[in-house]
Structure formats: C-alpha cells, structure tokens
Amino acid sequence: ALQKSNPELKDIFFIGGFASVHFRLDDPKAPWTNVKVRQALSMAMNYQSIVKDFYLGHAELYTNTTSMPEYKDLRVPMKDLPADVQELYSYNPTKAKQMLADAGYANGFTISVVINPTFTDLMSILKNDWAKVGVTLNLDTKDIAVYTSIRSGRTAQDALCRSQNLSIV
C-alpha cells in the first residue's frame, strides 16, 4: 500500500535488520550476565529463517551497533567477520544447549522481556527458538506509553526489546 501511494519509492528495507533484546547486566546472578549464555542465546536464534520468512528476504543481519545511515561505512559484512564470530549468528540449537549446560544452565532458565505490541510476532518467533534450548521467554507486552516509560527509565526487570530504524528509500 505504501508503494502504491508513493510510486517514487523504489524499495523499503530495514537498516540493521532485527529488533533486539537488551539485557539488564547489573545483577551478576542473572544467567544472561554470562557472555557464554548470551552467545548461546544468539546461536539458538534462527536469524536466517527470520530474514527469509518473517521479513520475506527484505532484511539483512548487520553486525555493527548502529543503524544510522551516516555510519553505514562502519558496518562489517557478516561474510568478512572471523569464523568464530560468524558462528555466533549461525543457527545451532544443539551447540547452544551445550553452551548453556557448560555455563551451569542445563535445565535452562526463565527471562521476561518487555515489548511493545509491534514486537509481538517477531518476539514470538524468538520465544519458540529459545524454548528449543530450554529457555522460557515471557513476553511482557506494554502499551506504547508504558513501554516508552520503562525504556527511558531503564526499569525492565530482565530485558527490553528495542527496534532498529526503518529506512525508506
């Protein structure tokens, strides 16, 4: 509909690709404060399927920390990263489960992530992926005003889902 009403648009794409989970790291007892746990959670997420099926191929997994167009030259393409870094973005639930066990979470754990309603579908996919490695993801959906307050105040109990920018070109 957007392209029909704006024929000058050639394409719509996502700078940065996905919404992302931002963990609270101020509680050293929380499982996700362990970098190996966060790496395991990354490997438990099927990024390639999300690009293909959720974004219908109109997304790219970026490895930089910003989606601001003026910093696009800082981005390192996935194919140019070292193999051990690329592995962290490969879907490998078997290895992820082993990494969680090695980190002391063989039986998994539960995490709550604050989301706004626009993240429901994508985060439901993540919830399903993480369940395969024993991690229970509770989606704490808030209306936009409450979500924004929690995000601004940095008061999410465990984690918060934030989006990357949508760019229209």
Side-chain angles (χ1 to χ4, degrees):
L2 182 61
Q3 286 182 316
K4 285 181 183 178
S5 64
N6 296 279
E8 72 278 8
L9 295 178
K10 296 178 184 166
D11 199 4
I12 300 170
F13 65 95
F14 292 88
I15 302 274
F18 308 116
S20 57
V21 175
H22 295 254
F23 300 96
R24 283 194 66 152
L25 299 176
D26 57 349
D27 178 2
K29 295 177 186 167
W32 48 88
T33 60
N34 181 328
V35 67
K36 294 297 184 186
V37 168
R38 295 192 308 274
Q39 290 173 342
L41 292 175
S42 179
M43 292 181 76
M45 187 173 173
N46 193 340
Y47 295 103
Q48 292 74 22
S49 176
I50 291 171
V51 166
K52 179 181 172 240
D53 301 323
F54 184 78
Y55 289 112
L56 303 175
H58 298 289
E60 181 178 354
L61 180 60
Y62 279 16
T63 55
N64 65 338
T65 58
T66 183
S67 60
M68 297 169 58
E70 56 269 26
Y71 297 116
K72 68 178 175 54
D73 293 336
L74 297 176
R75 186 174 76 83
V76 177
M78 183 66 70
K79 66 178 181 56
D80 294 339
L81 291 171
D84 60 331
V85 174
Q86 289 184 43
E87 181 182 32
L88 296 175
Y89 294 93
S90 67
Y91 182 55
N92 191 338
T94 302
K95 184 166 183 177
K97 192 162 182 63
Q98 183 60 54
M99 290 172 70
L100 289 172
D102 292 347
Y105 299 98
N107 296 321
F109 55 87
T110 299
I111 183 170
S112 178
V113 62
V114 176
I115 67 172
N116 75 47
T118 61
F119 300 136
T120 302
D121 291 340
L122 181 59
M123 293 306 293
S124 294
I125 294 168
L126 180 60
K127 179 177 181 166
N128 184 54
D129 283 350
W130 285 2
K132 293 174 185 171
V133 298
V135 174
T136 301
L137 179 60
N138 293 326
L139 302 179
D140 186 7
T141 306
K142 304 291 187 191
D143 67 47
I144 298 295
V146 173
Y147 169 85
T148 301
S149 177
I150 292 170
R151 179 178 167 177
S152 298
R154 299 178 184 216
T155 58
Q157 177 183 332
D158 297 336
L160 179 105
C161 180
R162 293 183 59 184
S163 66
Q164 301 293 339
N165 295 332
L166 171 66
S167 291
I168 302 172
V169 295

